[in-house]
């Protein structure tokens, strides 16, 4: 794996208006499946070749979360969401850009004002989701022949990482976001994939707090994965300990002067 280090600078937080964010970030090329699984297991996310994880100075609310697939149990509300979306057709394949998907993405973002990012134009959209995706997989959701949702993910033999989902609910009773997560977890169950990575959980942000409802799950705190909610819904980590302080670099420079390699 070849790594290009980024001189990170603080920027406006996308989740809290009164805070600034700072990332540990790299551009990574030629990453292997083993290296990619290692990155996921240590809280790393990515858009294309851009890999990042939070390293904020005073706020530590972004906490990596994953579902233990072999023990997953649907709640009653999740079962209702699955049933309500029975008319949705799913098509799976490699990520393929279309202008229709970009328009759907922009409409989706209008409904979630709390989620801010830099993917505002077609070029950044392509680079983030449709370029350099060696483990990429795309779920397209259709209703009555119309594209109503897209979910982008990375899939390896051991891990499934949900990258981004954008959609419009074709009927009021439908919850396409929940439906998408459940269908992806079912795919993991069929393939024997151990972990379903959901990105970052933020307890005080409604747009991300929902992730804890898919259980049993684990969160990454003190640089190790700990059970967070069991199948019954009990919280196993005290609220004041649901935080992650990232104070180390996951990717380190190699001894060779022309290359920087991941240290595993």
């Amino acid at each position: 794996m070849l790594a290009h280090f980024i001189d990170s600078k603080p920027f406006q937080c996308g989740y809290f208006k009164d805070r600034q964010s700072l990332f540990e970030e790299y551009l990574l090329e030629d990453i292997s499946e083993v290296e990619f699984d290692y990155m996921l297991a240590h809280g790393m996310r990515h858009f294309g070749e851009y890999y990042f994880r939070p390293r904020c100075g005073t706020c530590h609310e972004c906490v990596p979360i994953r579902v233990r697939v072999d023990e997953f149990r649907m709640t009653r509300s999740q079962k209702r969401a699955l049933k309500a979306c029975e008319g949705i057709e799913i098509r799976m394949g490699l990520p393929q850009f279309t202008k229709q998907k970009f328009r759907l993405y922009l409409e989706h973002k209008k409904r979630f004002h709390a989620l801010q990012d830099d993917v505002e134009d077609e070029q950044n959209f392509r680079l983030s989701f449709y370029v350099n995706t060696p483990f990429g997989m795309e779920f397209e959701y259709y209703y009555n022949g119309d594209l109503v949702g897209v979910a982008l993910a990375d899939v390896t033999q051991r891990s499934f990482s949900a990258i981004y989902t954008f959609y419009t609910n074709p009927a009021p009773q439908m919850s396409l976001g929940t439906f998408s997560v459940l269908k992806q977890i079912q795919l993991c169950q069929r393939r024997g994939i151990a972990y379903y990575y959901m990105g970052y959980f933020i307890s005080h942000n409604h747009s991300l707090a929902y992730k804890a409802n898919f259980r049993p799950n684990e969160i990454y705190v003190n640089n190790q994965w700990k059970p967070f909610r069991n199948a019954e819904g009990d919280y196993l980590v005290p609220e004041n300990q649901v935080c992650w302080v990232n104070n180390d670099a996951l990717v380190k420079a190699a001894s060779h002067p022309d290359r920087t390699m991941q240290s595993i």
Side-chain angles (χ1 to χ4, degrees):
M1 178 184 70
L2 178 62
H4 305 273
F5 290 77
I6 296 175
D7 183 17
S8 304
K9 304 293 183 183
F11 59 96
Q12 173 61 49
C13 176
Y15 304 117
F16 300 103
K17 293 182 179 180
D18 61 341
R19 306 177 196 182
Q20 285 201 317
S21 296
L22 181 65
F23 282 171
E24 170 193 354
E25 48 192 344
Y26 317 91
L27 295 176
L28 302 181
E29 300 178 54
D30 302 324
I31 186 168
S32 70
E33 183 169 310
V34 171
E35 291 169 328
F36 185 78
D37 284 339
Y38 177 87
M39 293 289 186
L40 290 178
H42 290 78
M44 193 69 76
R45 307 290 294 167
H46 85 105
F47 291 143
E49 290 184 340
Y50 171 65
Y51 286 71
F52 61 93
R53 60 178 190 169
R55 183 183 280 163
C56 304
T58 57
C59 175
H60 310 293
E61 293 202 39
C62 289
V63 181
I65 186 169
R66 68 185 185 186
V67 177
R68 296 202 302 267
V69 171
D70 60 341
E71 302 173 49
F72 174 72
R73 283 164 50 183
M74 274 192 285
T75 64
R76 281 181 290 182
S77 63
Q78 289 166 355
K79 291 178 181 177
R80 289 194 296 270
L82 204 60
K83 184 173 180 59
C85 292
E86 285 181 340
I88 297 292
E89 176 194 354
I90 304 174
R91 302 176 190 174
M92 296 182 293
L94 297 176
Q96 297 288 333
F97 168 82
T98 67
K99 291 184 178 295
Q100 182 185 14
K101 292 174 183 175
F102 180 58
R103 290 193 295 269
L104 181 63
Y105 167 80
L106 293 178
E107 289 301 314
H108 170 85
K109 286 189 64 177
K110 291 179 182 178
R111 296 185 291 114
F112 292 92
H113 301 291
L115 294 176
Q116 302 295 322
D117 56 51
D118 296 328
V119 186
E120 299 290 351
D121 57 50
E122 182 177 309
Q123 181 180 5
N124 282 339
F125 180 74
R126 284 175 178 264
L127 291 173
S128 296
F129 303 126
Y130 293 97
V131 176
N132 300 315
T133 57
F135 313 107
M137 186 175 191
E138 185 174 51
F139 296 73
E140 297 176 346
Y141 303 115
Y142 291 85
Y143 186 71
N144 292 334
D146 296 324
L147 180 70
V148 295
V150 174
L152 294 146
D154 289 302
V155 187
T156 70
Q157 292 185 11
R158 180 175 173 77
S159 307
F160 186 109
S161 176
I163 298 176
Y164 205 96
T165 302
F166 50 96
Y167 59 90
T168 180
N169 285 315
Q173 74 275 14
M174 289 185 175
S175 179
L176 202 56
T178 298
F179 171 80
S180 178
V181 172
L182 294 173
K183 284 299 182 181
Q184 291 172 2
I185 291 176
Q186 288 179 345
L187 175 72
C188 293
Q189 290 172 329
R190 293 195 299 270
R191 293 191 176 188
I193 294 173
Y195 297 112
Y196 177 83
Y197 289 86
M198 301 188 73
Y200 300 119
F201 166 79
I202 302 178
S203 60
H204 296 109
N205 185 289
H206 176 72
S207 296
L208 298 179
Y210 77 94
K211 297 179 182 182
N213 295 327
F214 296 88
R215 55 191 196 240
N217 51 52
E218 301 173 343
I219 55 175
Y220 191 66
V221 295
N222 296 325
N223 294 322
Q224 60 181 316
W225 290 95
K226 293 184 177 180
F228 181 41
R229 294 190 75 185
N230 60 22
E232 291 71 35
D234 302 316
Y235 286 88
L236 308 177
V237 178
E239 184 177 2
N240 64 352
Q241 296 181 22
V242 182
C243 62
W244 173 41
V245 181
N246 173 20
N247 52 19
D248 190 23
L250 187 59
V251 178
K252 303 181 189 298
S255 57
H256 193 287
D258 297 327
R259 292 180 66 85
T260 52
M261 300 292 291
Q262 176 186 340
S263 176
I264 299 180

